[in-house]
Amino acid sequence: MSREIVKEEAPPFSCVVSAENRGLASLRSVRWRLNLGILPPSPSVDDLRRVTADSRRRYAGLRRQLLVDPHVAKHGGSNSPDLVMDNPLSQNPDSTWGRFFRNAELEKMVSQDLSRLYPELGSYFQAPGCQGMLRRILLLWCLKHPESGYRQGMHELLAPLLYILHVDVERLSEVRKIHEDHFIDKFDGLSFEENDVTYSFDFKKVLDSMEDEVGSQGNSKKVRSLDELDPEIQTIILLTDAYGAEGELGIVLSEKFMEHDAYCMFEALMSGAGGSVAMADFFSPIPAAESQSGLPPVIEASVALYHLLSIVDSSLHSHLVELGVEPQYFALRWLRVLFGREFSLHDLLVVWDEILTADNSPLHKDSGNEESSCFNLLNSHRGALIAAMAVSMILYVRSSLFATENATTCLRRLLNFPENINLKKLVAKAKSLQILALNSKLSSSSFTFDVAYNRSKSAVSGHNPSPGPVSPTTPLSLVPDSYWEEKWRVLHKAEELRQDSLDKQAPSGKRRWSDKVKLVLSRTESDPSPARAEKYKKGHRSSVRRSLLEDLSRHLGWKEDTETGDCFDTSNLEDRQSIEVQVEGQNETSIDSICTAEERCDSGSGTSVSEENSSVFSDPASSGSSTTNDHENDTEKSSVASNLSSDEIDDRHLNNPEDSPLPVSSPPEDVLLNYPHENESSGKMVSALKQKRHLSGRFQWLLKLGRNNVSQEASDKGVITESAKSANRDSKSNTADSSTAGSPSNSSPTIQRDVVDQNVMGTLKNLGQSMLEHIQVLESVFQQDRVQVGSLDNSAKNNLVGKGQVTAMTALKELRKISNLLLEM
Amino acid sequence: MLVPGKIQHIICTGNLCIKEVQDYLKTLCPDLHITRGEYDEETRYPETKTLTIGQFKLGLCHGHQVIPWGDLDSLAMLQRQLDVDILVTGHTHQFTAYKHEGGVVINPGSATGAYSSITYDVNPSFVLMDIDGLRVVVYVYELIDGEVKVDKIDFKKTTTATHSAH
């Protein structure tokens, strides 16, 4: 409870207790009544009781008035009712019979729904008493609000309210049993004096005497013992004391008046109690009066939901929009029943706790401020939390949504929300998104995708860094965020190691470079032979789908081949071998999984692969690279952390599209964007392997760094893959870099060929220059990212979180260094 | 006033004479019970009929078989014979309703106000019974001088059925 009230010394029976000490935390029904505005936020128990009593009286009156039984003779009213009007066949709309028949129709509709209410908790909800109460409440509400009538779903809103009342009443009876003394007036235990006349019986004396005994119930004793009790029990007792304000009608937790209380809560929920979010609006087909969009409220709310989703995770949003999954298909049910059909009852109570705690008052904005939210839903804390909850649920299943290209499957996933969920995470995410939603509404002016929308995006992205770690990446992803940070650190270490090794092996490194350049040049010189073309194709396809193990095996195979050639230093070979051994050791077990993952990725990545293939052919050098190198490096690290390989596979995967991107710009990036998601779902190993194929060894580690970061953010991938690609291109010569044991089979034949040294230097310089250019491009893209809209790749990049951008920038810096090195050569 | 959907059973004493009238009654309600009157062309109607609605047993007969026509005691004999709580008969074209010996004998009169050989003044009338548990409310609709007049009678069934409860 948010109210703070100082605990005072308690005069008997009207204790003023602090909200926190009140221990109302466990009494959901009272808490919700306070949240819904039925009970006043007043510290005094008496006030609560009075308000409760009033609301119950109102309901009883309503019931008497509206629930017409024409059979019951009207006593006191008209003695001789006008039978001409009041007979059962009367067509007169005012006749009681007419009303009776209309009520009967309504009741039929309600009963139909009620019979299907919560069958899994049928012992409570399908009991006739409970059903009768629900039916009456719904009937009366609908009769009181004829403009909305009864719609399916209202019963689902009502059921939890009745349930919590029931739970609290049960709690009360438990307390009663334990603390019987405070509830009952026991007179029969008293001993009578000699004259045995009740009138002159001196109660006080007896009570005083009883005080000495244990367990007396004198009034003074009562106060004392009340204070001794738990504040919670205290509250319960005070709220349910039959002698308190308003007597029995004022007993706040009363079984007799469950129906009345449930009706009050239901009415407050539906009407919004003067707040912004009124559930009844969601059932109405008419646009709200002040709606800017002219849509029915629930449609408008669904749009608001998608708007929030697009801010948070625009790739998922665009994916859903592409598939044609309109928000109202699933949001209608979610909103109308406040997620009642998506969670089990107990989970739902937790969710409703959060939603109801949120303030429902409409957030006023300056009338002069143009940028007021056009979404009524986002106009209050509660509404924003509802929207945020929905978006968080969508994000929870995002991997399965991305995995399918079929709208029906998406809808099926959304409409059959998974059973075993981490509710706390879901709610925590929703809360963080709520802040985002409230902020975004300030900047979202119009509803259409125009400059205003871009502005909103840019404004929102400014907010992104703060909730960075939580949003856009799904916090509910399989891998915790800390995992990626660890990877980063590991990679950094590896990078340093590599740099050291490079420095040490500078001369040999040069030679390696020359070897690689030879390799590259040999490739460039000769047309790709069919065999090589096949290998390329295979490589690329495998780059898209091949497993680490395959790479390794090729490595080994190639290595054996190269032993004959003089391209490689033995030291290199040894390095590679050692690395490979390590890798092999680790990866042997995972071959199968990788292979299967590959296949899956294969199916998903057909188009991208072909694009990559084409681009690869155009840039053979870039392809040649270092996926193997990367592989080695990755495997090294995998020795450090076995998970690393999967991480790297992700990176690889990210880098794979690099090859295609520059010539083929946006589509691959889209596919790219899909990749990370696919990876998450279907084996990161595979994707990473794909990427490996394409990367040059020299920039392996850089790319890995970049990739690691990129794997976290989809947009980063596009950027970094580009940079990596340019790096790859530039580092064709560097592919001969020692780090990799050997590029995939594609490179193996080329490495074995001789390369002309002259060309090597020239190539190196050219590579360095092009690398720089690419880096510049990437940086400019980064800058643009924040502002651009429209193209999918950009919008995907807009997913950038600060973290991703930071990592991407660091990666770019690394690339700069490398390019400088190249130029120096 | 007689709209389809509001009435669940139709009990007709007879003398519909032609099939069209039966069809019309069927449009009001599918559950139709008819006994044979002396002018009915449809020969397959029974002479008497008993049915149970709710807690009440109803008996149906045209009444021309019971002599003297419209005599309460004779009708009571028929009621005992059929062992019903409510006996519905016709033929007299006059509305009457008696509470007798724990049962009710109702004559709804003529729905069309057809000519009767025993009375001069025939007002079209019919009876609507609202059976609710152990209680039946009888609404009588009569067309008098161009206006529909409604009257009602309450009847509660007792388990012993030795005396009327109202």
Side-chain angles (χ1 to χ4, degrees):
Chain A
M1 306 295 284
S2 52
R3 292 174 285 117
E4 302 259 355
I5 301 167
V6 177
K7 177 168 185 171
E8 303 169 14
E9 279 308 294
F13 302 127
S14 50
C15 298
V16 177
V17 291
S18 73
E20 282 77 17
N21 292 346
R22 218 187 262 227
L24 284 175
S26 75
L27 294 177
R28 260 209 184 102
S29 68
V30 185
R31 198 154 36 104
W32 283 13
R33 273 185 271 176
L34 283 157
N35 285 335
L36 285 167
I38 303 168
L39 290 180
S42 141
S44 142
V45 173
D46 280 353
D47 282 349
L48 291 186
R49 293 176 66 114
R50 284 201 195 89
V51 173
T52 315
D54 280 339
S55 63
R56 286 171 181 168
R57 275 193 207 100
R58 263 186 282 124
Y59 175 71
L62 190 72
R63 197 163 60 171
R64 266 183 226 128
Q65 176 199 1
L66 286 181
L67 275 189
V68 170
D69 189 4
H71 302 283
V72 177
K74 277 193 214 156
H75 306 287
S78 51
N79 280 330
S80 53
D82 185 7
L83 275 176
V84 174
M85 188 190 76
D86 233 0
N87 61 78
L89 293 176
S90 164
Q91 310 284 59
N92 194 325
D94 286 337
S95 77
T96 53
W97 281 99
R99 265 192 286 155
F100 173 77
F101 284 125
R102 279 194 296 272
N103 293 359
E105 276 185 40
L106 202 58
E107 197 168 326
K108 206 161 52 141
M109 262 204 292
V110 170
S111 297
Q112 235 182 2
D113 278 344
L114 284 178
S115 62
R116 290 176 287 183
L117 176 69
Y118 278 120
E120 63 269 17
L121 293 166
S123 60
Y124 177 67
F125 283 111
Q126 297 294 324
C130 180
Q131 289 260 310
M133 274 200 279
L134 292 169
R135 197 178 301 123
R136 274 194 297 277
I137 296 172
L138 287 168
L139 259 177
L140 285 173
W141 190 88
C142 297
L143 289 174
K144 187 110 189 292
H145 298 84
E147 69 278 2
S148 54
Y150 177 75
R151 297 269 180 279
Q152 190 183 34
M154 293 182 179
H155 67 298
E156 297 265 359
L157 278 175
L158 176 60
L161 300 174
L162 196 61
Y163 182 73
I164 55 160
L165 281 168
H166 174 77
V167 164
D168 281 349
V169 163
E170 281 190 355
R171 173 100 182 87
L172 173 67
S173 58
E174 280 173 19
V175 170
R176 282 188 109 109
K177 275 193 213 120
I178 302 170
H179 301 274
E180 225 177 280
D181 314 336
H182 298 281
F183 287 99
I184 316 170
D185 297 319
K186 273 201 235 164
F187 291 113
D188 289 341
L190 302 176
S191 60
F192 279 75
E193 296 190 352
E194 292 81 47
N195 45 4
D196 207 349
V197 175
T198 316
Y199 278 120
S200 60
F201 179 67
D202 194 358
F203 279 101
K204 259 234 168 81
K205 239 215 265 174
V206 173
L207 287 174
D208 285 343
S209 66
M210 278 172 69
E211 274 183 25
D212 303 332
E213 302 167 9
V214 180
S216 70
Q217 303 109 50
N219 285 349
S220 53
K221 187 99 173 111
K222 208 170 184 176
V223 172
R224 242 195 318 167
S225 52
L226 259 185
D227 288 343
E228 284 165 2
L229 289 172
D230 232 4
E232 184 196 334
I233 314 285
Q234 267 186 53
T235 327
I236 294 181
I237 292 172
L238 285 171
L239 287 174
T240 56
D241 179 26
Y243 296 107
E246 298 276 5
E248 283 227 4
L249 194 62
I251 297 179
V252 178
L253 290 176
S254 164
E255 189 166 356
K256 244 205 274 184
F257 299 111
M258 260 166 70
E259 193 178 328
H260 305 62
D261 295 337
Y263 176 83
C264 294
M265 286 171 53
F266 181 66
E267 184 173 34
L269 186 65
M270 292 293 273
S271 68
S276 173
V277 173
M279 296 308 299
D281 290 342
F282 287 148
F283 292 93
S284 145
I286 317 161
E290 61 277 352
S291 147
Q292 290 182 22
S293 58
L295 296 169
V298 69
I299 309 282
E300 199 185 309
S302 319
V303 172
L305 221 149
Y306 253 29
H307 173 74
L308 182 60
L309 177 65
S310 65
I311 295 170
V312 169
D313 185 352
S314 76
S315 65
L316 177 61
H317 173 256
S318 44
H319 175 74
L320 287 172
V321 168
E322 272 173 38
L323 292 185
V325 177
E326 295 278 315
Q328 53 267 23
Y329 294 159
F330 56 89
L332 195 89
R333 191 174 78 179
W334 287 10
L335 292 171
R336 274 192 176 174
V337 198
L338 265 191
F339 314 108
R341 291 262 98 220
E342 322 304 321
F343 299 112
S344 71
L345 182 59
H346 295 281
D347 285 347
L348 182 70
L349 292 179
V350 174
V351 171
W352 278 24
D353 274 343
E354 293 301 330
I355 293 181
L356 289 178
T357 315
D359 182 38
N360 199 19
S361 53
L363 297 170
H364 298 291
K365 289 182 281 283
D366 306 328
S367 52
N369 186 7
E370 294 174 358
E371 295 189 342
S372 60
S373 171
C374 58
F375 300 120
N376 198 29
L377 183 69
L378 301 177
N379 224 7
S380 66
H381 286 281
R382 190 177 290 176
L385 183 58
I386 293 175
M389 187 74 211
V391 171
S392 138
M393 284 165 70
I394 299 176
L395 289 176
Y396 190 87
V397 289
R398 85 198 285 259
S399 52
S400 9
L401 292 180
F402 268 113
T404 171
E405 291 297 319
N406 186 354
T408 320
T409 324
C410 277
L411 277 172
R412 203 178 294 144
R413 174 78 277 182
L414 287 166
L415 286 171
N416 299 321
F417 208 69
E419 293 264 324
N420 302 324
I421 53 169
N422 189 341
L423 191 68
K424 281 205 185 110
K425 267 194 168 174
L426 206 64
V427 172
K429 171 103 173 127
K431 281 196 173 149
S432 68
L433 289 179
Q434 176 195 19
I435 304 167
L436 194 65
L438 287 170
N439 289 335
S440 82
K441 74 174 173 66
L442 290 172
S443 54
S444 71
S445 56
S446 81
F447 173 38
T448 57
F449 281 95
D450 55 10
V451 178
Y453 186 75
N454 301 341
R455 255 192 291 128
S456 76
K457 270 192 174 176
S458 56
V460 169
S461 62
H463 287 282
N464 279 340
S466 44
V470 183
S471 55
T473 55
T474 75
L476 307 164
S477 65
L478 301 168
V479 176
D481 289 337
S482 57
Y483 167 77
W484 296 112
E485 289 169 17
E486 196 197 316
K487 288 283 170 67
W488 170 269
R489 274 183 243 116
V490 168
L491 283 171
H492 253 293
K493 278 190 220 148
E495 175 191 340
E496 286 165 17
L497 283 172
R498 182 143 296 293
Q499 278 222 300
D500 292 10
S501 68
L502 277 175
D503 292 342
K504 287 177 211 158
Q505 298 174 1
S508 55
K510 267 202 173 176
R511 246 220 282 178
R512 283 188 222 123
W513 282 11
S514 66
D515 290 338
K516 280 225 171 163
V517 170
K518 282 183 197 175
L519 196 157
V520 168
L521 286 176
S522 63
R523 271 194 233 127
T524 53
E525 283 167 1
S526 61
D527 289 337
S529 61
R532 239 198 330 159
E534 273 175 23
K535 273 186 190 165
Y536 264 114
K537 258 199 181 139
K538 224 174 148 197
H540 291 294
R541 226 170 266 130
S542 63
S543 73
V544 178
R545 308 169 222 158
R546 198 171 300 162
S547 66
L548 265 168
L549 287 168
E550 272 188 56
D551 282 350
L552 260 181
S553 57
R554 284 217 190 91
H555 258 313
L556 292 171
W558 165 73
K559 255 192 164 177
E560 285 161 7
D561 292 340
T562 55
E563 276 173 40
T564 59
D566 55 3
C567 295
F568 288 90
D569 294 335
T570 51
S571 59
N572 287 343
L573 274 173
E574 280 165 9
D575 288 338
R576 294 198 197 102
Q577 276 166 348
S578 59
I579 294 167
E580 283 181 0
V581 165
Q582 289 174 7
V583 175
E584 271 185 28
Q586 288 150 5
N587 291 332
E588 263 172 9
T589 52
S590 56
I591 297 176
D592 294 336
S593 60
I594 295 169
C595 289
T596 52
E598 271 192 355
E599 285 158 13
R600 267 179 276 137
C601 282
D602 279 351
S603 55
S605 61
T607 54
S608 63
V609 172
S610 55
E611 284 172 89
E612 288 172 356
N613 285 345
S614 58
S615 63
V616 167
F617 279 126
S618 62
D619 297 321
S622 60
S623 70
S625 55
S626 48
T627 42
T628 51
N629 286 343
D630 290 337
H631 182 60
E632 270 189 7
N633 285 339
D634 291 341
T635 56
E636 265 183 30
K637 288 156 196 171
S638 60
S639 63
V640 178
S642 58
N643 285 336
L644 203 70
S645 54
S646 65
D647 176 21
E648 292 173 341
I649 291 170
D650 265 343
D651 292 340
R652 297 282 154 79
H653 174 69
L654 290 168
N655 287 325
N656 266 344
E658 286 179 36
D659 293 335
S660 45
L662 288 183
V664 189
S665 53
S666 46
E669 288 191 16
D670 296 344
V671 178
L672 260 187
L673 295 170
N674 286 336
Y675 274 166
H677 307 292
E678 282 176 6
N679 286 339
E680 287 164 15
S681 56
S682 66
K684 301 180 177 180
M685 303 273 281
V686 181
S687 56
L689 286 171
K690 298 177 199 175
Q691 293 170 356
K692 278 188 188 175
R693 290 276 156 194
H694 295 296
L695 291 173
S696 63
R698 176 81 169 106
F699 297 90
Q700 228 186 8
W701 48 278
L702 281 175
L703 293 170
K704 265 184 277 179
L705 288 174
R707 263 178 284 128
N708 270 341
N709 302 326
V710 173
S711 67
Q712 299 174 30
E713 302 348 296
S715 56
D716 284 349
K717 281 184 203 170
V719 173
I720 292 179
T721 53
E722 280 186 347
S723 65
K725 202 180 169 188
S726 61
N728 284 338
R729 293 220 189 95
D730 295 335
S731 66
K732 282 176 195 177
S733 58
N734 297 330
T735 54
D737 191 30
S738 56
S739 55
T740 56
S743 47
S745 57
N746 298 333
S747 52
S748 56
T750 59
I751 292 173
Q752 293 173 359
R753 294 179 202 147
D754 289 340
V755 182
V756 181
D757 280 337
Q758 304 161 358
N759 293 334
V760 173
M761 304 315 293
T763 330
L764 282 173
K765 283 191 185 146
N766 289 338
L767 284 171
Q769 271 175 347
S770 58
M771 241 190 82
L772 267 176
E773 285 164 28
H774 288 307
I775 289 167
Q776 281 161 6
V777 165
L778 283 168
E779 281 176 348
S780 66
V781 166
F782 263 121
Q783 301 307 319
Q784 286 169 12
D785 269 349
R786 298 208 181 94
V787 185
Q788 269 180 2
V789 167
S791 64
L792 275 171
D793 52 351
N794 280 337
S795 63
K797 283 176 196 165
N798 275 329
N799 273 340
L800 275 183
V801 183
K803 199 179 181 183
Q805 282 185 356
V806 166
T807 58
M809 293 309 293
T810 53
L812 277 173
K813 282 178 199 156
E814 303 289 351
L815 289 170
R816 267 195 189 277
K817 285 185 210 162
I818 296 164
S819 64
N820 290 336
L821 280 170
L822 278 173
L823 283 171
E824 282 162 13
M825 309 191 63
Chain B
M1 191 185 277
L2 288 173
V3 289
K6 283 204 172 154
I7 302 170
Q8 280 82 51
H9 313 272
I10 292 186
I11 303 167
C12 184
T13 51
N15 267 354
L16 297 175
C17 302
I18 46 174
K19 195 165 181 302
E20 277 77 1
V21 182
Q22 184 196 6
D23 293 340
Y24 166 69
L25 289 179
K26 262 226 147 73
T27 64
L28 293 180
C29 159
D31 193 25
L32 190 53
H33 304 275
I34 312 177
T35 50
R36 184 140 188 241
E38 72 265 34
Y39 298 126
D40 271 317
E41 287 178 2
E42 176 71 54
T43 53
R44 280 169 305 165
Y45 296 143
E47 290 280 316
T48 63
K49 208 167 192 187
T50 56
L51 52 145
T52 308
I53 296 174
Q55 305 278 350
F56 288 90
K57 282 188 284 190
L58 287 93
L60 187 62
C61 176
H62 179 245
H64 68 275
Q65 308 92 333
V66 177
I67 303 166
W69 292 341
D71 180 47
L72 177 60
D73 292 320
S74 317
L75 287 173
M77 258 196 330
L78 178 61
Q79 188 187 18
R80 283 191 295 274
Q81 200 172 17
L82 294 174
D83 188 27
V84 290
D85 302 311
I86 302 171
L87 180 68
V88 181
T89 56
H91 187 57
T92 61
H93 294 200
Q94 253 189 335
F95 164 72
T96 56
Y98 303 110
K99 282 186 198 134
H100 184 80
E101 291 175 1
V104 175
V105 179
I106 300 179
N107 189 325
S110 163
T112 52
Y115 166 77
S116 161
S117 50
I118 38 179
T119 57
Y120 289 114
D121 200 7
V122 180
N123 290 318
S125 64
F126 69 93
V127 155
L128 182 73
M129 283 199 290
D130 178 18
I131 297 177
D132 190 24
L134 284 173
R135 188 164 159 249
V136 61
V137 180
V138 176
Y139 292 90
V140 185
Y141 295 82
E142 270 184 294
L143 184 65
I144 301 170
D145 297 333
E147 267 188 36
V148 176
K149 298 249 162 36
V150 189
D151 202 1
K152 85 171 191 192
I153 302 165
D154 265 317
F155 172 67
K156 264 206 191 76
K157 174 183 174 177
T158 59
T159 47
T160 55
T162 50
H163 59 277
S164 74
H166 194 78

